[in-house]
C-alpha cells in the first residue's frame, strides 16, 4: 500500500499555478503525505523517485502536457492509484477523454468547494484502501496457488524420499525469497544427522563463511529445538539468534507425527516475513508434510519389497536345491524332469529316487495355492516322502500315500490346503510299474516309436493309455484309501506325469500347430498335450515340449511340472 513514513497515504497534486499547489498542499497535508509537481513531466519524475501514490489530483489545462495525457501515462505503472481531475473548463470532449483515457475517479471544476473536495478525496482514499486490500488478497491467493502448484509439480518430479526433501527446501526457499533454508528430517522426535539446504544465489558469498548450513549449528539451534518440543512455529527477528539473519522455524507434522523441521533465514537488509507470509508458509509446509509422509511410506514399502524379493530369491534357491537336479544313470531307462514355478517359489514338486535295491520311484505333486505357503507344504511333503522311500523295504505306493496323508493332513486341513500327487514305482528287471494317484492329473503311457511310425505311414492315429486308477487328494480325509494301479512298460514306451499347470495352460485360437482349431483362450487339457506329444519327431525332449507350450502361454499362471520315464 502507498504509505509515507508516518503511515499516511501518499497524495500528489499537479498544477501549473503555484497558488493552487499551495492551497491543495495546505488542505491535505495533515491527513496525507503530499507531493507537489508544477507540470506533468515533473510529476512523472517524482513518481519515478517516490513510487506509487494513493491519490493523484491533476489540473487538466497545463502547458506541455495536459492532465489527461499525464494521467494516462500513470495507468499502466500504477493501476490502483485513484485519479482526480481539476479544470476550469467544462467541455464534454475533455470530460470523456479524461474518464476513458486517464481512468479518472472524479472530475471537479474550478473554483472548487473545499468541503466538497475533501469529501471526494476522502472517498478516493477509502476506495484506494479497499481496492488495495482486495488486490493484496488476490495476490496472496494467486501466490498461494502458485506455490502450491509449484510444490505439487516439484514433488511429482521427485524420484525418491531424499530428492523430495531437497525439492521441498528449494521450492520453499526460493518461493519466499529466503536468504537460506534448512530442512532437517525427524525420526522418533529426534533430529537426524542428515539435512537438506537451499541458499539464495546472491547470498552465496555471505553464506560460504557462515555456519548456518552446518549440521552442528542446526543441532545446537535453540529455536529449532523449541519448534521440535512445542511443535509450534517459532520466529526470531534479526539480532536474537544472529546479528545478520532473522529466523523462522516451522515444524512439519502430519497426523500428529513430526516429520521434519524447516528453518528459514532472512538477511537483515530484507524486511522480515509479514504475518500473512508466515501463514502462507505454514500452509505450504502442511502440504510438504503430507508429501513427506507419503514419500516415507513409499520408501518403506520399497525397502520391504526389496527385502521380500531378496528373501524370496533365497527361498527360490533353497526350493530349487530341494528338487533333485540329477540322479544316477539307470540302465535301460531315460528319465527327464522339469519344474517351473509361476512365482519365485511354488507348490509343484517332483522326485526321482533310485532305491539301492534297484527300484525307481517317481512322483509329481501339486500343493493347492501358490507362493510361499504352497512351497512350505511342498518342502514338508518331499521330506516325509524321502523318509518313507529311504526305508530298506519301502511299502507299496498306496501305503506310502496313506502315510503321507497321516503325517500332513492335520496341517493341511487347518490351513485349508490339499495335495494332489502321483507316486509310481518302476522295477527295471520286470518292467512293472505300480502307481497310486491322489486326485492328480492322469498319467499317460504310450510308445513314442509307434507314434512316429504311425505318423510316417499315415495309419490311424495312436491314442495314449490314461492310467485312471485314482483316489482323493491328500489332506481331504483323515485316512486316505485307494487301490494301487499297475502296468507293464515295454521297450520304447514312455510314462509321463504332469501337473495341472501344463494341462490347464491357455493356448490361443490358432491351435497347437497341427491345424486343429481351438476356441479362443482354450485350455490345453490332456487331449491338447497329446497332440503336442504326437508332433515330437525326435527323441522326446521335455524342455522342447515346454517351450512349445509356453509359446502359446506367454503369461504363466500356474506352476508347471513334467516328468517322464522312457524305457529304452
Amino acid at each position: 500500500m502507498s504509505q509515507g513514513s508516518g503511515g499516511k497515504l501518499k497524495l500528489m497534486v499537479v498544477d501549473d499555478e503555484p497558488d493552487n499547489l499551495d492551497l491543495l498542499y495546505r488542505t491535505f497535508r495533515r491527513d496525507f503525505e503530499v507531493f507537489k509537481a508544477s507540470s506533468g513531466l515533473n510529476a512523472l519524475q517524482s513518481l519515478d523517485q517516490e513510487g506509487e501514490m494513493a491519490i493523484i489530483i491533476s489540473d487538466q489545462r497545463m502547458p506541455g502536457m495536459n492532465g489527461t495525457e499525464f494521467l494516462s501515462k500513470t495507468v499502466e505503472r500504477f493501476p490502483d492509484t485513484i485519479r482526480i481531475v481539476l479544470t476550469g473548463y467544462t467541455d464534454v470532449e475533455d470530460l470523456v477523454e479524461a474518464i476513458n483515457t486517464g481512468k479518472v475517479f472524479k472530475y471537479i471544476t474550478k473554483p472548487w468547494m473545499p468541503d466538497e473536495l475533501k469529501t471526494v478525496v476522502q472517498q478516493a482514499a477509502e476506495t484506494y484502501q479497499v481496492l488495495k486490500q482486495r488486490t493484496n488478497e488476490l495476490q496472496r491467493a494467486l501466490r498461494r496457488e502458485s506455490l502450491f502448484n509449484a510444490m505439487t509439480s516439484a514433488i511429482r518430479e521427485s524420484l525418491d524420499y531424499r530428492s523430495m526433501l531437497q525439492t521441498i527446501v528449494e521450492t520453499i526457499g526460493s518461493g519466499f525469497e529466503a536468504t537460506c533454508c534448512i530442512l532437517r528430517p525427524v525420526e522418533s522426535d529426534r533430529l537426524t544427522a542428515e539435512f537438506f539446504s537451499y541458499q539464495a544465489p546472491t547470498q552465496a558469498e555471505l553464506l560460504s563463511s557462515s555456519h548456518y548450513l552446518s549440521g552442528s549449528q542446526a543441532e545446537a539451534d535453540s529455536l529449532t529445538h523449541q519448534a521440535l518440543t512445542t511443535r509450534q512455529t517459532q520466529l526470531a527477528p534479526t539480532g536474537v539468534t544472529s546479528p545478520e539473519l532473522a529466523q523462522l522455524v516451522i515444524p512439519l507434522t502430519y497426523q500428529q507425527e513430526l516429520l521434519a523441521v524447516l528453518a528459514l533465514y532472512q538477511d537483515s537488509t530484507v524486511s522480515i516475513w509479514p504475518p500473512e507470509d508466515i501463514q502462507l508458509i505454514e500452509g505450504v509446509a502442511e502440504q510438504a508434510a503430507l508429501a513427506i509422509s507419503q514419500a516415507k511410506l513409499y520408501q518403506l514399502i520399497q525397502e520391504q519389497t526389496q527385502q521380500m524379493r531378496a528373501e524370496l530369491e533365497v527361498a527360490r534357491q533353497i526350493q530349487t536345491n530341494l528338487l533333485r537336479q540329477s540322479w544316477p544313470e539307470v540302465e535301460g531307462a531315460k528319465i527327464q524332469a522339469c519344474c517351473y514355478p509361476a512365482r519365485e517359489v511354488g507348490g509343484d514338486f517332483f522326485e526321482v529316487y533310485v532305491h539301492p535295491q534297484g527300484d525307481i520311484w517317481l512322483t509329481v505333486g501339486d500343493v493347492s495355492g501358490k507362493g510361499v505357503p504352497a512351497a512350505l507344504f511342498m518342502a514338508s511333503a518331499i521330506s516325509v516322502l524321502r523318509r518313507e522311500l529311504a526305508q530298506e523295504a519301502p511299502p507299496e505306493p498306496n501305503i506310502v500315500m496313506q502315510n503321507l496323508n497321516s503325517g500332513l493332513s492335520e496341517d493341511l486341513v487347518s490351513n485349508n490346503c490339499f495335495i494332489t500327487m502321483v507316486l509310481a514305482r518302476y522295477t527295471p528287471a520286470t518292467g512293472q510299474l505300480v502307481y497310486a494317484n491322489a486326485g492328480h492329473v492322469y498319467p499317460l503311457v504310450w510308445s513314442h516309436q509307434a507314434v512316429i511310425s504311425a505318423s510316417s505311414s499315415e495309419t490311424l492315429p495312436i491314442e495314449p493309455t490314461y492310467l485312471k486308477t485314482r483316489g482323493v487328494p491328500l489332506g481331504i480325509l483323515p485316512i486316505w484309501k485307494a487301490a494301487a494301479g499297475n502296468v507293464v512298460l515295454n521297450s520304447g514306451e514312455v510314462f509321463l506325469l504332469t501337473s495341472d499347470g501344463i494341462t490347464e495352460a491357455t493356448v490361443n485360437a490358432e491351435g497347437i500347430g497341427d491345424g486343429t482349431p481351438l476356441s479362443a483362450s482354450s485350455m490345453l487339457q490332456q487331449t491338447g498335450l497329446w497332440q503336442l506329444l504326437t508332433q515330437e519327431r525326435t527323441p522326446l525332449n521335455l524342455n522342447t515340449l515346454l517351450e512349445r507350450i509356453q509359446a502359446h502361454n506367454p503369461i504363466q499362471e500356474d506352476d508347471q511340472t513334467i516328468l517322464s520315464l522312457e524305457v529304452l
Side-chain angles (χ1 to χ4, degrees):
M1 187 173 292
S2 176
Q3 292 181 328
S5 57
K8 298 179 181 180
L9 293 178
K10 294 180 180 181
L11 183 146
M12 173 176 282
V13 292
V14 185
D15 202 314
D16 60 330
E17 297 180 12
D19 291 342
N20 287 340
L21 279 181
D22 292 339
L23 178 59
L24 291 170
Y25 178 80
R26 290 193 302 271
T27 301
F28 298 108
R29 64 185 178 87
R30 292 186 178 182
D31 298 323
F32 298 90
E33 184 176 354
V34 183
F35 297 85
K36 298 188 296 182
S38 59
S39 67
L41 182 60
N42 291 339
L44 291 175
Q45 293 174 349
S46 180
L47 289 173
D48 290 338
Q49 296 176 358
E50 301 297 336
E52 180 180 302
M53 298 290 163
I55 304 169
I56 298 178
I57 303 175
S58 175
D59 185 24
Q60 173 64 11
R61 299 291 181 172
M62 295 184 294
M65 183 186 300
N66 63 32
T68 301
E69 184 180 357
F70 157 64
L71 292 176
S72 66
K73 294 181 180 296
T74 67
V75 171
E76 184 175 354
R77 290 181 59 193
F78 309 111
D80 296 334
T81 296
I82 306 299
R83 300 164 184 84
I84 299 174
V85 172
L86 297 174
T87 183
Y89 303 88
T90 57
D91 53 289
V92 176
E93 291 183 2
D94 283 347
L95 177 61
V96 172
E97 183 182 11
I99 293 174
N100 293 337
T101 307
K103 305 296 182 182
V104 172
F105 177 71
K106 287 290 184 179
Y107 190 98
I108 298 178
T109 59
K110 295 180 181 179
W112 63 81
M113 299 295 292
D115 291 340
E116 180 185 354
L117 182 58
K118 284 185 177 181
T119 300
V120 170
V121 171
Q122 183 60 37
Q123 291 175 350
E126 293 173 356
T127 301
Y128 174 79
Q129 289 174 325
V130 171
L131 181 62
K132 207 65 180 176
Q133 179 182 358
R134 292 180 178 178
T135 300
N136 290 338
E137 290 175 353
L138 178 60
Q139 289 176 345
R140 285 196 297 270
L142 291 175
R143 186 183 183 191
R144 180 186 183 92
E145 183 178 0
S146 176
L147 286 169
F148 279 8
N149 290 339
M151 179 68 70
T152 301
S153 299
I155 288 172
R156 287 176 178 174
E157 294 174 358
S158 301
L159 299 178
D160 55 32
Y161 172 67
R162 285 177 173 76
S163 68
M164 178 176 291
L165 294 180
Q166 185 61 41
T167 298
I168 289 173
V169 73
E170 290 177 356
T171 303
I172 294 179
S174 60
F176 290 95
E177 300 177 352
T179 303
C180 68
C181 188
I182 299 175
L183 182 66
R184 295 291 303 276
V186 174
E187 295 289 346
S188 303
D189 291 334
R190 295 174 63 89
L191 292 171
T192 65
E194 192 174 18
F195 69 94
F196 303 84
S197 63
Y198 161 84
Q199 63 183 41
T202 57
Q203 301 294 331
E205 182 177 352
L206 169 66
L207 295 176
S208 62
S209 59
S210 174
H211 56 277
Y212 286 98
L213 294 182
S214 67
S216 59
Q217 169 61 23
E219 186 69 36
D221 191 336
S222 60
L223 204 65
T224 300
H225 280 283
Q226 289 180 22
L228 189 66
T229 303
T230 63
R231 300 193 178 188
Q232 299 293 328
T233 299
Q234 305 294 323
L235 176 63
T238 304
V240 176
T241 58
S242 166
E244 301 173 341
L245 302 173
Q247 184 179 4
L248 177 68
V249 182
I250 300 176
L252 274 61
T253 59
Y254 178 70
Q255 295 185 345
Q256 299 182 347
E257 180 184 2
L258 183 59
L259 302 172
V261 174
L262 178 70
L264 288 85
Y265 298 89
Q266 191 65 276
D267 187 7
S268 58
T269 59
V270 182
S271 59
I272 196 171
W273 301 277
E276 56 268 20
D277 270 10
I278 295 178
Q279 185 179 7
L280 181 55
I281 295 173
E282 290 175 334
V284 175
E286 289 179 2
Q287 187 184 32
L290 172 60
I292 292 174
S293 175
Q294 293 175 339
K296 288 184 68 176
L297 179 60
Y298 178 76
Q299 183 187 41
L300 178 61
I301 293 174
Q302 290 293 96
E303 292 174 351
Q304 291 176 344
T305 300
Q306 292 177 359
Q307 181 180 0
M308 185 178 298
R309 286 176 177 172
E311 292 175 354
L312 286 175
E313 177 60 26
V314 174
R316 186 194 67 80
Q317 189 61 46
I318 292 174
Q319 185 178 44
T320 301
N321 294 337
L322 188 61
L323 298 175
R324 294 192 189 276
Q325 303 303 307
S326 62
W327 39 84
E329 290 290 337
V330 179
E331 185 177 356
K334 178 182 177 181
I335 301 173
Q336 302 178 66
C338 302
C339 181
Y340 295 99
R343 301 178 184 175
E344 286 82 357
V345 293
D348 274 17
F349 62 94
F350 69 86
E351 174 65 348
V352 177
Y353 179 72
V354 180
H355 195 273
Q357 295 181 358
D359 289 342
I360 303 173
W361 290 82
L362 308 169
T363 188
V364 166
D366 182 3
V367 181
S368 61
K370 302 180 184 68
V372 174
L376 293 175
F377 278 116
M378 163 265 187
S380 298
I382 287 184
S383 177
V384 176
L385 176 63
R386 287 176 177 172
R387 184 188 65 194
E388 290 290 322
L389 300 183
Q391 299 180 54
E392 182 176 354
E396 292 295 307
N398 58 332
I399 303 302
V400 174
M401 285 287 199
Q402 290 181 8
N403 296 339
L404 284 173
N405 186 78
S406 176
L408 299 173
S409 62
E410 184 176 349
D411 290 335
L412 289 170
V413 171
S414 63
N415 288 276
N416 197 27
C417 292
F418 59 87
I419 300 176
T420 68
M421 64 180 292
V422 173
L423 176 64
R425 183 191 65 203
Y426 173 66
T427 305
T430 62
Q432 186 181 38
L433 184 139
V434 181
Y435 69 93
N437 189 337
H440 201 72
V441 178
Y442 292 140
L444 275 70
V445 174
W446 79 97
S447 171
H448 196 58
Q449 293 297 329
V451 169
I452 296 176
S453 299
S455 175
S456 60
S457 62
E458 298 183 356
T459 59
L460 293 176
I462 295 178
E463 292 295 329
T465 299
Y466 295 98
L467 305 183
K468 295 187 176 182
T469 300
R470 185 164 65 177
V472 298
L474 304 181
I476 300 297
L477 300 174
I479 299 177
W480 187 90
K481 289 184 179 180
N486 64 83
V487 64
V488 176
L489 299 181
N490 301 311
S491 177
E493 290 187 326
V494 180
F495 172 70
L496 183 73
L497 297 176
T498 68
S499 66
D500 59 6
I502 300 290
T503 57
E504 294 179 2
T506 302
V507 294
N508 57 37
E510 297 176 357
I512 53 177
D514 66 342
T516 303
L518 296 174
S519 60
S521 301
S522 296
M523 287 192 299
L524 182 65
Q525 300 183 346
Q526 284 195 299
T527 54
L529 175 62
W530 172 242
Q531 291 175 17
L532 289 177
L533 289 169
T534 59
Q535 296 165 24
E536 292 288 321
R537 295 293 180 260
T538 59
L540 181 63
N541 186 311
L542 295 188
N543 288 316
T544 303
L545 179 64
L546 274 178
E547 288 177 1
R548 296 181 63 192
I549 294 173
Q550 292 171 353
H552 293 275
N553 187 33
I555 300 177
Q556 184 178 340
E557 298 177 353
D558 197 1
D559 304 333
Q560 295 179 344
T561 303
I562 187 167
L563 182 149
S564 68
L565 168 68
E566 183 176 3
V567 179
L568 302 178

